[in-house]
Amino acid sequence: MSCRRSFVQSQPVLLFTLLATLIPLFASADVITIGAVKDNTLYEPESEKSNGAGEYFFVGQTDVGDRRRGVLAFDPVSAIPSGSTINSVTLQLHMSRTKAGGESVSLHRLLADWGEGGSDAAGQEGVPANAEADDATWEYRLYDDVDPSSSPAWTALGAEGDYIGAASETVTVGGNGFYSWPAASDPPSSGMAADVQGWLDVPSTSFGWIVIGHEGTNKTAKRFGSRQNGDTSRWPELIIDFTPEGNSGACCASDGTCSVVEHPGGSCSGTYLGKDFVCDPNPCPQAPGACCLPTAMATCQEETEADCGILGGRFEGALTSCAATTCPVLPTPFVDLLPLPAPAQPTTGSPGGAATYQLAMREVQQNLHSELPDTTVWGFGDGVSGAGYPGPTIEATTDEPITVHWINDLRDTAQGGEPLRTDHYLDVDLCPHGAQDNAQAVVHLHGGHVPADVDGHPDATFVPGNQVEYEYPNNQQAATLWYHDHSLGTTRLNVYMGLAGFYLVRDATEAALGLPSGEYEIPLAIQDRSFNVDGTFQYPAEWQDMYFGETMLVNGQVWPYHDVKQGKYRLRMLNGCNSRMLTLQFCPGPNELPCSPASFDVIGQEGGLLPSPETIDTITIGPGERVDLVIDFAGYSPGTAVYLVNSASAPYPGPPGEGVLPDVMKFLVGSAAGHTTPIPGALRPMEVLDEGDSVADRYLELIKG
């Protein structure tokens, strides 16, 4: 890692240049953004529990009927000159966990002071920690950890009686993502503006808001990022539009933020620019911070946000340092050819017919990008070709059974590859049910119609040195299936390491359609991964609800390209990501969102072929889902590049653009003619069930554990 300059050295020059060239801006309406100064959760019925230093606060009602209420305060008095007029106020919060759909969440102005202590709940923070000094709890405003009985209490439990009953603002909060009060489509909130104006005019009443979700119904709790959240973009923010009284000027802080203070700037802790300077637009010199560049060596340089953007980097924030920043490993896209998984070779029989296979799980070194060292992966080998990730593709035919001997031959390659593995390659969090720090495995045929005893149940794992025999009847129509590890407590780790492969079922109906085949039929396993600079996989040691990689791999290669001819290709796409949704388009440029996408024909999904092709230009698939499509590269000039691009937010659904990993792979069009046969207008007859023929109603309640 290399870092180029420090802000301390460059700041005087920047300020001198600024002050020598700026013309004072006439004072007018101004806009500032301030962060919360304290936040906490009141947990019913806990009088001595809290979460003052936690990363989240909660609102709503839990599975068992206990209420959660957030308390949240800002300090507009320190950021806005006295005598100013508040024009409008917007609160922004990030919601990251819920079991409910759209529920109302309201802000009520608090009438009493409260505290944020050092309590810090563990895990997902739904269970509070022991309250510490000055924490707010369900019973107390300011907890006394020496003598709890002397703690100042709320007028009634849950702060009842200490907030204004009429909500200052209410919005509906649904799935994960950012929300604002008022909602972007709503008019400015007169109630919120009145609250902030009151705090500014009478600072002794500035106690913030209590945040109350839907109460009275279980399983409505929602979790919001606090000011201690590890992701600074998810901190609570208050955006205030105000008009100074007239006797004010702009104050520049060392991190480049601007605030309006009373003239002559005695309260400015940075550099006072002078009377009548305003903060909108921001006139302050911008401080550099860590800028992560898209390189395989995780290069970091200290740049301003603007310069970082010019370099194509990711800015980590003003005054952040490279020494304290871990940048992602981002090798150059589209420099390596797309690998094509080899067909699995049986020990008896032939591919596509009744046959017997021996597929062994093995730990091998595999190059996943030419700019990276080899990566340790877990792959499958059939004894003919070497083991690799993803595993060889099993070809099957409807009603032609096959037998697979799944062999766990995972050995520790760091020990010469001889000893069978007794521990996992990745760190294993033992908290999830069934997790064990070993190399246990079991294979599930995803989408297969199979008997229960060969379904790869998560409890049916077997450790290295053992094997199982599964017979698959293949009594289903042609479809794109895939096989993958299914171990209880460690599925995410084993699949991340590479234990997955395609399983294609074919039948006579499909064969008669003349669809693209041979070199024109390509399986694409799309998965996101993160790397360390030594090429090893990076994955969190502790279990996480969701994890998103920094690079996209297709068939085990980071951002590959594939040479195509001028014609139709059948692409069997698998979303093999652990958590990431994919919204896919074919675009004329890399990382180009939005684009003018090329259309394609969807001919099948998980269950097999559709009745007829559906022509669209965008499709969204979740982890484990497949889509079978045909795209035509005819008509493109030789040398044209067509990019497969993803626009799905992460987590999904979420605000557009949040967490997106856009580039997937590139198709490079050649001059030779390819498959030009038209796609039939009818593919397969399908029985459509009539809801009126049902004889019983069943209601299933899905609960996320």
Side-chain angles (χ1 to χ4, degrees):
M1 253 178 231
S2 61
C3 296
R4 299 206 310 192
R5 63 179 185 268
S6 70
F7 179 63
V8 174
Q9 293 171 329
S10 59
Q11 182 183 16
V13 176
L14 289 170
L15 285 175
F16 177 80
T17 303
L18 175 80
L19 296 175
T21 58
L22 272 177
I23 300 174
L25 304 172
F26 185 74
S28 59
D30 214 332
V31 178
I32 63 167
T33 300
I34 59 176
V37 294
K38 58 182 179 179
D39 47 47
N40 211 329
T41 303
L42 312 183
Y43 295 82
E44 185 185 32
E46 306 289 355
S47 62
E48 298 186 18
K49 301 282 187 178
S50 189
N51 192 28
E55 293 195 36
Y56 308 101
F57 68 88
F58 294 78
V59 305
Q61 195 156 300
T62 68
D63 295 3
V64 296
D66 293 333
R67 289 175 289 174
R68 304 288 187 255
R69 293 178 172 182
V71 281
L72 180 66
F74 297 84
D75 184 15
V77 176
S78 298
I80 301 173
S82 61
S84 297
T85 299
I86 304 301
N87 303 316
S88 66
V89 176
T90 301
L91 171 67
Q92 180 172 283
L93 299 175
H94 183 272
M95 199 280 294
S96 61
R97 189 175 179 89
T98 185
K99 294 180 180 179
E103 302 285 358
S104 62
V105 177
S106 301
L107 307 179
H108 297 257
R109 183 177 176 179
L110 279 163
L111 303 174
D113 198 12
W114 53 276
E116 174 196 80
S119 57
D120 190 354
Q124 301 298 316
E125 301 187 10
V127 177
N130 291 328
E132 298 190 13
D134 293 331
D135 264 323
T137 75
W138 188 254
E139 182 175 357
Y140 302 117
R141 296 187 293 111
L142 295 155
Y143 184 73
D144 186 335
D145 58 339
V146 177
D147 182 9
S149 64
S150 67
S151 303
W154 298 106
T155 300
L157 297 176
E160 291 292 340
D162 288 316
Y163 62 85
I164 294 176
S168 299
E169 186 62 40
T170 300
V171 302
T172 299
V173 177
N176 294 355
F178 288 93
Y179 293 87
S180 63
W181 285 254
S185 58
D186 292 342
S189 170
S190 58
M192 293 174 66
D195 290 344
V196 176
Q197 186 72 64
W199 299 335
L200 184 65
D201 295 344
V202 187
S204 61
T205 65
S206 182
F207 305 128
W209 291 291
I210 187 167
V211 189
I212 299 179
H214 180 77
E215 297 178 349
T217 304
N218 293 357
K219 303 176 185 176
T220 61
K222 295 182 182 290
R223 185 182 74 177
F224 294 93
S226 76
R227 72 188 191 99
Q228 288 91 1
N229 194 277
D231 184 344
T232 58
S233 70
R234 298 182 176 186
W235 289 0
E237 289 186 340
L238 196 63
I239 304 164
I240 306 173
D241 183 299
F242 67 97
T243 302
E245 190 175 32
N247 190 31
S248 62
C251 171
C252 291
S254 60
D255 64 355
T257 58
C258 182
S259 61
V260 177
V261 298
E262 293 184 20
H263 185 71
S267 62
C268 178
S269 58
T271 301
Y272 182 58
L273 298 186
K275 186 174 181 292
D276 293 336
F277 276 91
V278 297
C279 291
D280 187 20
N282 187 350
C284 300
Q286 295 304 290
C291 174
C292 291
L293 299 181
T295 71
M297 296 306 296
T299 306
C300 181
Q301 297 177 182
E302 290 183 4
E303 306 283 353
T304 65
E305 184 172 9
D307 288 344
C308 185
I310 293 172
L311 294 171
R314 187 178 76 186
F315 190 61
E316 299 298 314
L319 298 182
T320 56
S321 69
C322 285
T325 300
T326 301
C327 290
V329 173
L330 300 174
T332 306
F334 318 128
V335 298
D336 294 319
L337 279 168
L338 172 75
L340 299 177
Q345 299 301 311
T347 56
T348 62
S350 59
T356 299
Y357 295 83
Q358 289 191 353
L359 292 182
M361 308 170 213
R362 293 196 172 99
E363 180 173 301
V364 296
Q365 307 301 309
Q366 184 170 325
N367 189 264
L368 307 183
H369 192 283
S370 55
E371 294 176 356
L372 294 176
D374 288 353
T375 301
T376 299
V377 302
W378 289 358
F380 289 92
D382 57 12
V384 177
S385 56
Y389 147 64
T393 299
I394 297 176
E395 296 269 0
T397 300
T398 298
D399 295 327
E400 293 281 347
I402 69 168
T403 298
V404 181
H405 295 269
W406 298 109
I407 304 167
N408 189 335
D409 191 34
L410 292 169
R411 298 175 182 269
D412 191 340
T413 56
Q415 302 297 324
E418 291 301 323
L420 292 167
R421 270 206 169 271
T422 57
D423 62 349
H424 207 284
Y425 181 83
L426 298 172
D427 292 327
V428 177
D429 186 341
L430 299 179
C431 291
H433 175 60
Q436 299 181 50
D437 187 9
N438 59 27
Q440 64 178 359
V442 65
V443 180
H444 170 66
L445 181 56
H446 197 125
H449 298 181
V450 301
D453 59 352
V454 301
D455 193 40
H457 192 277
D459 278 325
T461 58
F462 50 101
V463 296
N466 294 275
Q467 62 179 289
V468 297
E469 178 183 312
Y470 284 175
E471 181 176 317
Y472 300 116
N474 297 318
N475 54 1
Q476 60 190 99
Q477 65 184 28
T480 304
L481 316 182
W482 67 300
Y483 61 89
H484 62 81
D485 177 79
H486 210 218
S487 299
L488 187 64
T490 53
T491 294
R492 71 195 186 285
L493 304 178
N494 291 359
V495 175
Y496 197 85
M497 285 295 294
L499 293 183
F502 279 98
Y503 187 113
L504 306 181
V505 180
R506 303 186 186 278
D507 63 15
T509 300
E510 178 193 66
L513 295 174
L515 298 172
S517 60
E519 67 173 292
Y520 307 113
E521 180 184 28
I522 305 173
L524 301 177
I526 304 171
Q527 299 170 302
D528 56 343
R529 298 286 186 269
S530 291
F531 294 89
N532 299 306
V533 292
D534 62 358
T536 56
F537 282 137
Q538 184 182 103
Y539 199 83
E542 294 185 358
W543 179 88
Q544 295 186 4
D545 189 19
M546 290 178 284
Y547 178 72
F548 306 104
E550 299 277 2
T551 66
M552 200 78 86
L553 285 72
V554 184
N555 294 350
Q557 202 74 29
V558 179
W559 290 314
Y561 74 93
H562 186 66
D563 293 317
V564 294
K565 296 178 180 178
Q566 296 207 359
K568 299 178 180 66
Y569 282 78
R570 180 182 184 180
L571 305 180
R572 295 178 180 258
M573 293 184 180
L574 158 69
N575 181 345
C577 302
N578 282 23
S579 305
R580 187 180 292 275
M581 297 283 290
L582 299 173
T583 297
L584 300 171
Q585 294 178 318
F586 293 91
C587 293
N591 198 8
E592 184 174 323
L593 293 171
C595 75
S596 297
S599 62
F600 52 86
D601 291 314
V602 176
I603 61 172
Q605 292 181 293
E606 288 79 12
L609 294 173
L610 300 177
S612 60
E614 295 289 336
T615 302
I616 56 176
D617 62 18
T618 304
I619 192 163
T620 298
I621 53 176
E625 293 184 332
R626 288 86 67 206
V627 62
D628 195 348
L629 63 87
V630 174
I631 182 169
D632 193 351
F633 293 106
Y636 287 98
S637 300
T640 300
V642 179
Y643 296 85
L644 183 60
V645 174
N646 165 53
S647 63
S649 57
Y652 182 94
E658 180 187 350
V660 173
L661 186 55
D663 291 331
V664 179
M665 66 172 293
K666 178 176 79 172
F667 296 91
L668 190 59
V669 183
S671 58
H675 182 99
T676 56
T677 304
I679 303 300
L683 300 173
R684 176 186 295 279
M686 180 180 293
E687 180 185 4
V688 179
L689 301 180
D690 187 343
E691 185 178 349
D693 294 337
S694 62
V695 296
D697 293 333
R698 294 181 177 88
Y699 296 93
L700 302 178
E701 182 177 10
L702 303 180
I703 300 175
K704 184 177 181 180

